[in-house]
């Protein structure tokens, strides 16, 4: 009953693990007003259920990565899925907003195990173009989550209330837990018995953070994620408040950019299988993403921001994310197979950090009547990603 690594089912399984964070975030958003009324909590307190989830998700990766190098990927996935399931069940019956916030922190930690183990497992089992293709297809499956999560959340909210949303997440976590227990073989061939000893742990983290190739690729991925997350956090402000589109229309517009990521991931997977060099794919993706972000700035500053002028550039930008992410992540974890868990943890933590900074900047700079904050932050992170790739990654390869 083991899932074969070369099968479509294996890719779907890894994609489902990676989809836990967006599902956990986006499914609950429609229920925020209901939770506030039901638990007698302020909007800010309900918002902490999202902030604490993301904190748990980010920090847990730094813990689970080294643990997986010591004990293997499968035990850590069992723990992570177990935590996610338990926390989902506890959120379902939470009697107060404080309890809900606490268990969301635990739920985020469980989701963090799924993300970091996905990257480590791909590094364990695949090489070269096959690894980049696998990451592309996982990214493709994962991109479906933000498209369907708000709709699922709204429907569950209408049928079973806000508690039903967390119950649904608990059931999803339980199904993944069973898949790991029954169908997943251990992918780590040689365990590092000293991986969690403080001197070795510090050395492993230091070795990756001082490796210009690993650090450079991790930063390229994280900064590009910041560019995309500036869009994710800024798009409702721009589309709903500035341009006045309906919530239904916004849902379709958001779905079109998610389709852009899926298309980029699929194309990258096919080109990787055909032997196209990752350096070529990366430079084309990064330059195109930067150009589209700068074009968004020009349109925003000129006062020509409309749905018809913004959306083509936003789709192009997210399409580039589907190309950049698999190649950059592979470049970051490929050179250190003996510490793939630590490398994957660094990749995931940096990505979440840049996403949090980007969304914070958009919220801080938003003026209430233009798209300048969203487009400006997108351009800032896109340019930083391009500079990092040229100045850190490519320069390191030629020195």
């Amino acid at each position: 009953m083991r899932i074969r690594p070369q099968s479509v089912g294996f890719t779907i399984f890894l994609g489902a693990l990676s989809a836990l964070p967006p599902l956990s975030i986006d499914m609950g958003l429609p229920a925020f007003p209901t939770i506030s009324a039901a638990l007698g909590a302020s909007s800010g307190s309900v918002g902490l259920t999202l902030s604490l989830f993301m904190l748990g998700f980010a920090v847990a990766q730094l813990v689970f990565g080294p643990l997986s190098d010591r004990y293997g990927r499968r035990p850590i996935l069992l723990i992570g899925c177990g935590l996610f399931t338990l926390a989902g069940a506890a959120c379902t019956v939470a009697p107060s907003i404080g309890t809900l916030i606490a268990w969301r922190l635990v739920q985020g930690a469980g989701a963090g195990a799924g993300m970091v183990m996905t990257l480590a497992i791909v590094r364990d089992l695949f090489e070269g173009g096959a690894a980049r293709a696998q990451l592309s297809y996982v990214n493709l499956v994962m991109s479906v989550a933000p498209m369907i999560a708000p709709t699922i959340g709204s429907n569950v909210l209408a049928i079973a209330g806000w508690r039903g949303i967390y119950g649904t997440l608990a059931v999803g976590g339980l199904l993944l837990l069973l898949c790991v227990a029954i169908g997943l073989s251990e992918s780590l061939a040689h365990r590092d018995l000293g991986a969690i000893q403080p001197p070795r742990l510090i050395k492993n983290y230091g070795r990756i953070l001082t490796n210009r190739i690993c650090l450079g690729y991790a930063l390229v991925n994280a900064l590009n994620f910041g560019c995309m997350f500036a869009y994710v956090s800024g798009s409702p402000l721009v589309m709903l408040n500035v341009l006045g589109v309906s919530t239904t229309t916004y849902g379709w517009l958001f779905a079109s950019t998610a389709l852009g990521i899926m298309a980029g991931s699929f194309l990258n997977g096919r080109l990787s299988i055909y032997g196209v060099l990752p350096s070529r794919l990366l430079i084309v993706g990064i330059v195109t993403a930067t150009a589209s972000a700068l074009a968004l700035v020009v349109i925003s500053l000129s006062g020509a921001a409309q749905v018809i002028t913004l959306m083509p550039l936003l789709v192009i930008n997210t399409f580039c994310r589907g190309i950049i992410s698999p190649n950059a992540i592979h470049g970051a974890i490929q050179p250190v197979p003996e510490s793939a868990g630590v490398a994957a943890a660094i990749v995931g933590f940096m990505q979440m950090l840049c996403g949090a900074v980007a969304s914070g900047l958009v919220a801080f700079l938003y003026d209430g009547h233009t798209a300048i904050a969203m487009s400006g932050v997108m351009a800032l992170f896109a340019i930083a990603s391009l500079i990092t790739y040229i100045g850190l990654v490519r320069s390191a390869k030629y020195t």
Side-chain angles (χ1 to χ4, degrees), residues 107-310:
Q107 191 178 44
M115 176 65 75
V116 73
M117 289 305 97
T118 296
L119 303 183
I121 288 171
V122 170
R123 177 61 189 89
D124 292 340
L125 299 177
F126 302 93
E127 295 285 343
R132 295 192 300 275
Q134 188 70 24
L135 288 170
S136 297
Y137 298 145
V138 168
N139 200 39
L140 190 154
V141 174
M142 184 180 67
S143 299
V144 176
M147 294 174 59
I148 63 175
T151 302
I152 295 175
S154 297
N155 290 333
V156 173
L157 179 64
I159 297 171
W162 69 268
R163 296 183 185 276
I165 292 175
Y166 296 111
T168 301
L169 290 172
V171 171
L174 179 61
L175 292 175
L176 284 173
L177 178 63
L178 293 174
C179 286
V180 175
I182 297 172
L184 185 68
S185 299
E186 178 56 57
S187 63
L188 183 62
H190 304 288
R191 299 178 184 182
D192 184 354
L193 300 181
I196 59 174
Q197 295 175 359
R200 174 72 69 81
L201 185 60
I202 294 172
K203 180 181 178 181
N204 286 343
Y205 270 115
R207 181 160 54 89
I208 293 170
L209 290 172
T210 55
N211 183 313
R212 290 174 63 188
I213 297 293
C214 293
L215 178 62
Y217 276 119
L219 282 172
V220 166
N221 172 70
L223 290 166
N224 178 256
F225 182 81
C227 174
M228 186 192 73
F229 214 74
Y231 156 68
V232 170
S233 60
S235 59
L237 302 175
V238 172
M239 297 298 175
L240 299 175
N241 298 344
V242 177
L243 302 182
V245 305
S246 68
T247 54
T248 301
T249 301
Y250 170 69
W252 285 108
L253 295 175
F254 191 84
S256 69
T257 54
L259 284 171
I261 300 177
M262 294 174 64
S265 299
F266 179 79
L267 178 62
N268 184 77
R270 301 310 300 168
L271 293 177
S272 296
I273 291 295
Y274 292 143
V276 178
L277 294 176
S279 58
R280 292 185 179 179
L281 293 168
L282 260 179
I283 194 63
V284 170
I286 295 170
V287 169
T288 305
T290 304
S292 63
L294 289 172
L296 286 168
V297 172
V298 172
I299 290 174
S300 301
L301 290 174
S302 67
Q306 299 293 331
V307 172
I308 196 171
T309 57
L310 296 178

Side-chain angles (χ1 to χ4, degrees), residues 25-38:
I25 292 170
D26 295 339
M27 278 182 63
L29 294 179
F32 274 20
T34 307
I35 295 173
S36 179

Side-chain angles (χ1 to χ4, degrees), residues 43-107:
S43 298
S45 297
V46 177
L48 285 176
T49 63
L50 176 58
S51 301
L52 269 292
F53 176 91
M54 296 179 70
L55 175 64
F57 175 73
V59 174
Q61 295 181 79
L62 298 177
V63 177
F64 284 132
L67 284 174
S68 75
D69 287 335
R70 168 61 180 86
Y71 295 105
R73 318 306 185 199
R74 188 172 178 272
I76 301 305
L77 267 180
L78 288 171
I79 293 172
C81 291
L83 284 175
F84 185 89
T85 303
L86 174 63
C91 288
T92 304
V93 297
S96 66
I97 188 63
T99 304
L100 181 62
I101 290 171
W103 281 109
R104 283 286 280 172
L105 176 68
V106 177
Q107 191 178 44

